[in-house]
Amino acid sequence: MKDYYQILGVEKGASEDDIKRAFRTLAHKYHPDKKGGDEAKFKEVSEAYAVLSDKKRRAEYDTYGRTFSGAGQASGFGGFDFSNADFSGANFQEFDLGDIFGEFFVGMSGRGRTRRGRDISIDIELTFKEAIFGAERRVLISKVGECDICKGSGAKKGTAMRTCESCNGKGAVRETRNSFFGTFTSMRTCPRCKGRGEIPETPCEACAGEGVLRRQEEIVIAVPAGVSDGEMIRMPGRGEAAPGAVAGDLYVKLHVKDDAHFSREGSDLVTTLPIKLTDALLGGEYRIDTLDGEMTITVPAGVEHGEFIRVRGKGVPNGRGSRGDLLVRVHIEFPKKLSKEAKKLIEQLRIAGL
Ligand SMILES: [Zn+2]
Ligand SMILES: [Zn+2]
């Protein structure tokens, strides 16, 4: 059985004020949104406070060592079921513990809360060469965007904004509700002004005063040089707009098509060059394709099958102003059939000890 008094560090006969004070101190200390906070401890402290701050439940706890009324009831002996309660991240910031925490929650609720428009993601396909040298794509996206006519204000051109009467310009309204902690006052984004604190005197006709509307928008995506298949480009603020909030982000997923001649290995490109056996022995010159056009390379005498010839600077741009290399894999084509003539010559090579 948990000792709620011990958890809060108070005496059995502690006054309501003592309990409140103890809880406030410990909740400050352990709040999971705080640096060095401890979620488990915070839950424990909150659970203790929920019981000891409630006269009826405290009496039950004092007498029977458990509570029968309130939220604790559902989970049976010894406490509460916190499994459905989300203390982590943004959800918890919805609470405004106002009179309990005092200044601690100022700035976490109401207008201070970050609201964002929806993120959107699109896929685009690139050729092998586009992925290496970069490309520009224009895509038409249907999304909720800022109204062009009123520039997001929601007001008809030439008309003024006035303070929202629902929230007195605060952008948020108080809402009282019950939870297992007891009664809470939470701050909700004002439904009337959507958190902006002001509303248009005369609404913009294009967007009905919303400041945003669903429309087609052409977005220019500049794909940088040297991207790989599966890579994601994030374009901040190019997602959906939301009234009175910052726009979401646009994520562009890149799909790079394979190439018949080249493959990539980091910032290097790999290609295969078939050469004749005689050129492997004596050396020779070959025309090869690169992404920058054709060029001649020298195959050194005595090159081995599978050996790489490195052509500097003909690979993938690395984003720091230089490029990787082109690696030419030598593929020696051994003749499958030899003419009588050739056979004779090669037998002479054997005699020569090769
Ligand atoms: Zn408008
Ligand atoms: Zn309002």
Side-chain angles (χ1 to χ4, degrees), residues 15-39:
S15 70
E16 277 176 44
D17 276 352
D18 287 343
I19 288 168
K20 194 183 238 185
R21 203 172 306 120
F23 172 58
R24 188 187 290 152
T25 307
L26 293 170
H28 266 267
K29 188 172 167 192
Y30 296 128
H31 193 281
D33 287 341
K34 264 183 83 168
K35 207 179 162 212
D38 184 326
E39 193 174 325

PDB file of all heavy atoms in Angstrom, residues 15-39:
ATOM      1  N   SER A  15      -2.504  19.896   7.239  1.00  0.00           N
ATOM      2  CA  SER A  15      -3.669  20.685   6.830  1.00  0.00           C
ATOM      3  C   SER A  15      -3.786  20.680   5.309  1.00  0.00           C
ATOM      4  O   SER A  15      -2.851  20.308   4.597  1.00  0.00           O
ATOM      5  CB  SER A  15      -3.507  22.126   7.320  1.00  0.00           C
ATOM      6  OG  SER A  15      -2.476  22.756   6.577  1.00  0.00           O
ATOM      7  N   GLU A  16      -4.949  21.084   4.825  1.00  0.00           N
ATOM      8  CA  GLU A  16      -5.166  21.166   3.378  1.00  0.00           C
ATOM      9  C   GLU A  16      -4.102  22.040   2.714  1.00  0.00           C
ATOM     10  O   GLU A  16      -3.608  21.727   1.639  1.00  0.00           O
ATOM     11  CB  GLU A  16      -6.555  21.742   3.087  1.00  0.00           C
ATOM     12  CG  GLU A  16      -7.662  20.692   3.136  1.00  0.00           C
ATOM     13  CD  GLU A  16      -9.039  21.312   2.948  1.00  0.00           C
ATOM     14  OE1 GLU A  16      -9.184  22.162   2.052  1.00  0.00           O
ATOM     15  OE2 GLU A  16      -9.946  20.952   3.726  1.00  0.00           O
ATOM     16  N   ASP A  17      -3.792  23.139   3.390  1.00  0.00           N
ATOM     17  CA  ASP A  17      -2.796  24.067   2.847  1.00  0.00           C
ATOM     18  C   ASP A  17      -1.410  23.419   2.769  1.00  0.00           C
ATOM     19  O   ASP A  17      -0.683  23.601   1.794  1.00  0.00           O
ATOM     20  CB  ASP A  17      -2.718  25.337   3.708  1.00  0.00           C
ATOM     21  CG  ASP A  17      -3.791  26.340   3.297  1.00  0.00           C
ATOM     22  OD1 ASP A  17      -4.451  26.092   2.266  1.00  0.00           O
ATOM     23  OD2 ASP A  17      -3.965  27.342   4.007  1.00  0.00           O
ATOM     24  N   ASP A  18      -1.075  22.674   3.822  1.00  0.00           N
ATOM     25  CA  ASP A  18       0.235  21.994   3.845  1.00  0.00           C
ATOM     26  C   ASP A  18       0.335  21.023   2.675  1.00  0.00           C
ATOM     27  O   ASP A  18       1.370  20.912   2.013  1.00  0.00           O
ATOM     28  CB  ASP A  18       0.409  21.193   5.152  1.00  0.00           C
ATOM     29  CG  ASP A  18       0.639  22.119   6.343  1.00  0.00           C
ATOM     30  OD1 ASP A  18       0.987  23.298   6.101  1.00  0.00           O
ATOM     31  OD2 ASP A  18       0.460  21.658   7.484  1.00  0.00           O
ATOM     32  N   ILE A  19      -0.764  20.292   2.459  1.00  0.00           N
ATOM     33  CA  ILE A  19      -0.785  19.292   1.385  1.00  0.00           C
ATOM     34  C   ILE A  19      -0.651  19.967   0.027  1.00  0.00           C
ATOM     35  O   ILE A  19       0.120  19.543  -0.826  1.00  0.00           O
ATOM     36  CB  ILE A  19      -2.084  18.447   1.484  1.00  0.00           C
ATOM     37  CG1 ILE A  19      -1.974  17.527   2.700  1.00  0.00           C
ATOM     38  CG2 ILE A  19      -2.323  17.659   0.208  1.00  0.00           C
ATOM     39  CD1 ILE A  19      -3.257  16.847   3.093  1.00  0.00           C
ATOM     40  N   LYS A  20      -1.383  21.043  -0.129  1.00  0.00           N
ATOM     41  CA  LYS A  20      -1.331  21.790  -1.395  1.00  0.00           C
ATOM     42  C   LYS A  20       0.079  22.316  -1.655  1.00  0.00           C
ATOM     43  O   LYS A  20       0.618  22.200  -2.748  1.00  0.00           O
ATOM     44  CB  LYS A  20      -2.325  22.949  -1.321  1.00  0.00           C
ATOM     45  CG  LYS A  20      -2.609  23.596  -2.667  1.00  0.00           C
ATOM     46  CD  LYS A  20      -3.552  24.770  -2.495  1.00  0.00           C
ATOM     47  CE  LYS A  20      -4.807  24.599  -3.325  1.00  0.00           C
ATOM     48  NZ  LYS A  20      -5.686  25.784  -3.263  1.00  0.00           N
ATOM     49  N   ARG A  21       0.667  22.863  -0.577  1.00  0.00           N
ATOM     50  CA  ARG A  21       2.010  23.442  -0.706  1.00  0.00           C
ATOM     51  C   ARG A  21       3.034  22.352  -1.062  1.00  0.00           C
ATOM     52  O   ARG A  21       3.874  22.522  -1.936  1.00  0.00           O
ATOM     53  CB  ARG A  21       2.398  24.131   0.608  1.00  0.00           C
ATOM     54  CG  ARG A  21       3.469  25.203   0.405  1.00  0.00           C
ATOM     55  CD  ARG A  21       3.706  26.006   1.682  1.00  0.00           C
ATOM     56  NE  ARG A  21       2.502  26.602   2.242  1.00  0.00           N
ATOM     57  CZ  ARG A  21       2.020  26.339   3.470  1.00  0.00           C
ATOM     58  NH1 ARG A  21       2.642  25.509   4.277  1.00  0.00           N
ATOM     59  NH2 ARG A  21       0.920  26.917   3.891  1.00  0.00           N
ATOM     60  N   ALA A  22       2.902  21.223  -0.375  1.00  0.00           N
ATOM     61  CA  ALA A  22       3.827  20.109  -0.626  1.00  0.00           C
ATOM     62  C   ALA A  22       3.689  19.618  -2.063  1.00  0.00           C
ATOM     63  O   ALA A  22       4.680  19.367  -2.754  1.00  0.00           O
ATOM     64  CB  ALA A  22       3.531  18.973   0.350  1.00  0.00           C
ATOM     65  N   PHE A  23       2.457  19.504  -2.506  1.00  0.00           N
ATOM     66  CA  PHE A  23       2.222  19.038  -3.873  1.00  0.00           C
ATOM     67  C   PHE A  23       2.801  20.014  -4.892  1.00  0.00           C
ATOM     68  O   PHE A  23       3.464  19.623  -5.850  1.00  0.00           O
ATOM     69  CB  PHE A  23       0.726  18.850  -4.125  1.00  0.00           C
ATOM     70  CG  PHE A  23       0.396  18.547  -5.562  1.00  0.00           C
ATOM     71  CD1 PHE A  23       0.945  17.434  -6.196  1.00  0.00           C
ATOM     72  CD2 PHE A  23      -0.451  19.372  -6.297  1.00  0.00           C
ATOM     73  CE1 PHE A  23       0.654  17.154  -7.535  1.00  0.00           C
ATOM     74  CE2 PHE A  23      -0.741  19.089  -7.620  1.00  0.00           C
ATOM     75  CZ  PHE A  23      -0.192  17.988  -8.236  1.00  0.00           C
ATOM     76  N   ARG A  24       2.570  21.302  -4.649  1.00  0.00           N
ATOM     77  CA  ARG A  24       3.055  22.312  -5.586  1.00  0.00           C
ATOM     78  C   ARG A  24       4.578  22.218  -5.735  1.00  0.00           C
ATOM     79  O   ARG A  24       5.119  22.227  -6.834  1.00  0.00           O
ATOM     80  CB  ARG A  24       2.644  23.699  -5.103  1.00  0.00           C
ATOM     81  CG  ARG A  24       2.942  24.794  -6.115  1.00  0.00           C
ATOM     82  CD  ARG A  24       2.672  26.149  -5.529  1.00  0.00           C
ATOM     83  NE  ARG A  24       1.250  26.399  -5.333  1.00  0.00           N
ATOM     84  CZ  ARG A  24       0.753  27.210  -4.394  1.00  0.00           C
ATOM     85  NH1 ARG A  24       1.570  27.814  -3.561  1.00  0.00           N
ATOM     86  NH2 ARG A  24      -0.531  27.395  -4.282  1.00  0.00           N
ATOM     87  N   THR A  25       5.255  22.100  -4.609  1.00  0.00           N
ATOM     88  CA  THR A  25       6.719  22.021  -4.622  1.00  0.00           C
ATOM     89  C   THR A  25       7.194  20.780  -5.395  1.00  0.00           C
ATOM     90  O   THR A  25       8.068  20.858  -6.253  1.00  0.00           O
ATOM     91  CB  THR A  25       7.263  21.943  -3.178  1.00  0.00           C
ATOM     92  OG1 THR A  25       6.707  23.031  -2.448  1.00  0.00           O
ATOM     93  CG2 THR A  25       8.763  22.034  -3.159  1.00  0.00           C
ATOM     94  N   LEU A  26       6.560  19.634  -5.074  1.00  0.00           N
ATOM     95  CA  LEU A  26       7.006  18.389  -5.701  1.00  0.00           C
ATOM     96  C   LEU A  26       6.627  18.329  -7.176  1.00  0.00           C
ATOM     97  O   LEU A  26       7.374  17.810  -8.009  1.00  0.00           O
ATOM     98  CB  LEU A  26       6.415  17.186  -4.951  1.00  0.00           C
ATOM     99  CG  LEU A  26       6.953  17.002  -3.532  1.00  0.00           C
ATOM    100  CD1 LEU A  26       6.153  15.952  -2.789  1.00  0.00           C
ATOM    101  CD2 LEU A  26       8.432  16.628  -3.561  1.00  0.00           C
ATOM    102  N   ALA A  27       5.461  18.864  -7.508  1.00  0.00           N
ATOM    103  CA  ALA A  27       5.033  18.852  -8.912  1.00  0.00           C
ATOM    104  C   ALA A  27       5.956  19.726  -9.758  1.00  0.00           C
ATOM    105  O   ALA A  27       6.291  19.393 -10.888  1.00  0.00           O
ATOM    106  CB  ALA A  27       3.590  19.320  -9.024  1.00  0.00           C
ATOM    107  N   HIS A  28       6.393  20.840  -9.174  1.00  0.00           N
ATOM    108  CA  HIS A  28       7.375  21.700  -9.852  1.00  0.00           C
ATOM    109  C   HIS A  28       8.644  20.919 -10.143  1.00  0.00           C
ATOM    110  O   HIS A  28       9.216  20.978 -11.213  1.00  0.00           O
ATOM    111  CB  HIS A  28       7.760  22.874  -8.940  1.00  0.00           C
ATOM    112  CG  HIS A  28       6.962  24.100  -9.186  1.00  0.00           C
ATOM    113  ND1 HIS A  28       7.367  25.091 -10.030  1.00  0.00           N
ATOM    114  CD2 HIS A  28       5.759  24.492  -8.696  1.00  0.00           C
ATOM    115  CE1 HIS A  28       6.464  26.046 -10.045  1.00  0.00           C
ATOM    116  NE2 HIS A  28       5.468  25.706  -9.248  1.00  0.00           N
ATOM    117  N   LYS A  29       9.058  20.202  -9.117  1.00  0.00           N
ATOM    118  CA  LYS A  29      10.321  19.478  -9.177  1.00  0.00           C
ATOM    119  C   LYS A  29      10.277  18.355 -10.216  1.00  0.00           C
ATOM    120  O   LYS A  29      11.213  18.157 -10.976  1.00  0.00           O
ATOM    121  CB  LYS A  29      10.600  18.907  -7.789  1.00  0.00           C
ATOM    122  CG  LYS A  29      11.976  18.291  -7.637  1.00  0.00           C
ATOM    123  CD  LYS A  29      12.211  17.941  -6.171  1.00  0.00           C
ATOM    124  CE  LYS A  29      13.428  17.053  -6.013  1.00  0.00           C
ATOM    125  NZ  LYS A  29      13.488  16.496  -4.652  1.00  0.00           N
ATOM    126  N   TYR A  30       9.155  17.609 -10.232  1.00  0.00           N
ATOM    127  CA  TYR A  30       9.118  16.397 -11.051  1.00  0.00           C
ATOM    128  C   TYR A  30       8.382  16.543 -12.379  1.00  0.00           C
ATOM    129  O   TYR A  30       8.285  15.591 -13.141  1.00  0.00           O
ATOM    130  CB  TYR A  30       8.452  15.262 -10.269  1.00  0.00           C
ATOM    131  CG  TYR A  30       9.226  14.851  -9.038  1.00  0.00           C
ATOM    132  CD1 TYR A  30       8.610  14.774  -7.802  1.00  0.00           C
ATOM    133  CD2 TYR A  30      10.587  14.534  -9.142  1.00  0.00           C
ATOM    134  CE1 TYR A  30       9.313  14.394  -6.673  1.00  0.00           C
ATOM    135  CE2 TYR A  30      11.299  14.160  -8.021  1.00  0.00           C
ATOM    136  CZ  TYR A  30      10.659  14.082  -6.785  1.00  0.00           C
ATOM    137  OH  TYR A  30      11.367  13.710  -5.679  1.00  0.00           O
ATOM    138  N   HIS A  31       7.827  17.720 -12.640  1.00  0.00           N
ATOM    139  CA  HIS A  31       7.007  17.845 -13.851  1.00  0.00           C
ATOM    140  C   HIS A  31       7.771  17.350 -15.085  1.00  0.00           C
ATOM    141  O   HIS A  31       8.892  17.762 -15.347  1.00  0.00           O
ATOM    142  CB  HIS A  31       6.582  19.298 -14.073  1.00  0.00           C
ATOM    143  CG  HIS A  31       5.501  19.405 -15.101  1.00  0.00           C
ATOM    144  ND1 HIS A  31       5.781  19.351 -16.449  1.00  0.00           N
ATOM    145  CD2 HIS A  31       4.160  19.482 -14.986  1.00  0.00           C
ATOM    146  CE1 HIS A  31       4.649  19.406 -17.103  1.00  0.00           C
ATOM    147  NE2 HIS A  31       3.640  19.499 -16.256  1.00  0.00           N
ATOM    148  N   PRO A  32       7.157  16.423 -15.843  1.00  0.00           N
ATOM    149  CA  PRO A  32       7.875  15.800 -16.975  1.00  0.00           C
ATOM    150  C   PRO A  32       8.281  16.784 -18.076  1.00  0.00           C
ATOM    151  O   PRO A  32       9.178  16.484 -18.867  1.00  0.00           O
ATOM    152  CB  PRO A  32       6.882  14.758 -17.513  1.00  0.00           C
ATOM    153  CG  PRO A  32       5.559  15.075 -16.881  1.00  0.00           C
ATOM    154  CD  PRO A  32       5.827  15.813 -15.620  1.00  0.00           C
ATOM    155  N   ASP A  33       7.638  17.935 -18.146  1.00  0.00           N
ATOM    156  CA  ASP A  33       8.032  18.906 -19.170  1.00  0.00           C
ATOM    157  C   ASP A  33       9.245  19.722 -18.751  1.00  0.00           C
ATOM    158  O   ASP A  33       9.794  20.484 -19.525  1.00  0.00           O
ATOM    159  CB  ASP A  33       6.880  19.872 -19.463  1.00  0.00           C
ATOM    160  CG  ASP A  33       5.788  19.184 -20.256  1.00  0.00           C
ATOM    161  OD1 ASP A  33       6.093  18.132 -20.866  1.00  0.00           O
ATOM    162  OD2 ASP A  33       4.655  19.673 -20.260  1.00  0.00           O
ATOM    163  N   LYS A  34       9.639  19.537 -17.498  1.00  0.00           N
ATOM    164  CA  LYS A  34      10.776  20.311 -17.005  1.00  0.00           C
ATOM    165  C   LYS A  34      12.070  19.540 -17.161  1.00  0.00           C
ATOM    166  O   LYS A  34      12.074  18.311 -17.107  1.00  0.00           O
ATOM    167  CB  LYS A  34      10.578  20.623 -15.514  1.00  0.00           C
ATOM    168  CG  LYS A  34       9.975  21.986 -15.270  1.00  0.00           C
ATOM    169  CD  LYS A  34       9.876  22.264 -13.798  1.00  0.00           C
ATOM    170  CE  LYS A  34      11.177  22.780 -13.214  1.00  0.00           C
ATOM    171  NZ  LYS A  34      10.963  23.319 -11.853  1.00  0.00           N
ATOM    172  N   LYS A  35      13.132  20.269 -17.289  1.00  0.00           N
ATOM    173  CA  LYS A  35      14.435  19.640 -17.375  1.00  0.00           C
ATOM    174  C   LYS A  35      14.707  18.919 -16.057  1.00  0.00           C
ATOM    175  O   LYS A  35      14.516  19.491 -14.992  1.00  0.00           O
ATOM    176  CB  LYS A  35      15.511  20.709 -17.626  1.00  0.00           C
ATOM    177  CG  LYS A  35      16.723  20.147 -18.348  1.00  0.00           C
ATOM    178  CD  LYS A  35      17.755  21.216 -18.616  1.00  0.00           C
ATOM    179  CE  LYS A  35      19.074  20.557 -18.916  1.00  0.00           C
ATOM    180  NZ  LYS A  35      20.213  21.333 -18.471  1.00  0.00           N
ATOM    181  N   GLY A  36      15.100  17.666 -16.145  1.00  0.00           N
ATOM    182  CA  GLY A  36      15.351  16.905 -14.928  1.00  0.00           C
ATOM    183  C   GLY A  36      14.071  16.422 -14.254  1.00  0.00           C
ATOM    184  O   GLY A  36      14.105  15.980 -13.108  1.00  0.00           O
ATOM    185  N   GLY A  37      12.939  16.538 -14.950  1.00  0.00           N
ATOM    186  CA  GLY A  37      11.665  16.072 -14.399  1.00  0.00           C
ATOM    187  C   GLY A  37      11.630  14.552 -14.338  1.00  0.00           C
ATOM    188  O   GLY A  37      12.499  13.861 -14.862  1.00  0.00           O
ATOM    189  N   ASP A  38      10.638  14.039 -13.628  1.00  0.00           N
ATOM    190  CA  ASP A  38      10.538  12.590 -13.476  1.00  0.00           C
ATOM    191  C   ASP A  38       9.059  12.222 -13.582  1.00  0.00           C
ATOM    192  O   ASP A  38       8.277  12.477 -12.668  1.00  0.00           O
ATOM    193  CB  ASP A  38      11.120  12.191 -12.109  1.00  0.00           C
ATOM    194  CG  ASP A  38      11.146  10.677 -11.928  1.00  0.00           C
ATOM    195  OD1 ASP A  38      10.233   9.988 -12.429  1.00  0.00           O
ATOM    196  OD2 ASP A  38      12.096  10.186 -11.266  1.00  0.00           O
ATOM    197  N   GLU A  39       8.702  11.631 -14.697  1.00  0.00           N
ATOM    198  CA  GLU A  39       7.298  11.362 -14.968  1.00  0.00           C
ATOM    199  C   GLU A  39       6.686  10.409 -13.953  1.00  0.00           C
ATOM    200  O   GLU A  39       5.582  10.629 -13.463  1.00  0.00           O
ATOM    201  CB  GLU A  39       7.146  10.789 -16.383  1.00  0.00           C
ATOM    202  CG  GLU A  39       5.717  10.771 -16.845  1.00  0.00           C
ATOM    203  CD  GLU A  39       5.576  10.349 -18.303  1.00  0.00           C
ATOM    204  OE1 GLU A  39       6.455  10.686 -19.106  1.00  0.00           O
ATOM    205  OE2 GLU A  39       4.583   9.683 -18.604  1.00  0.00           O
TER     206      GLU A  39
END
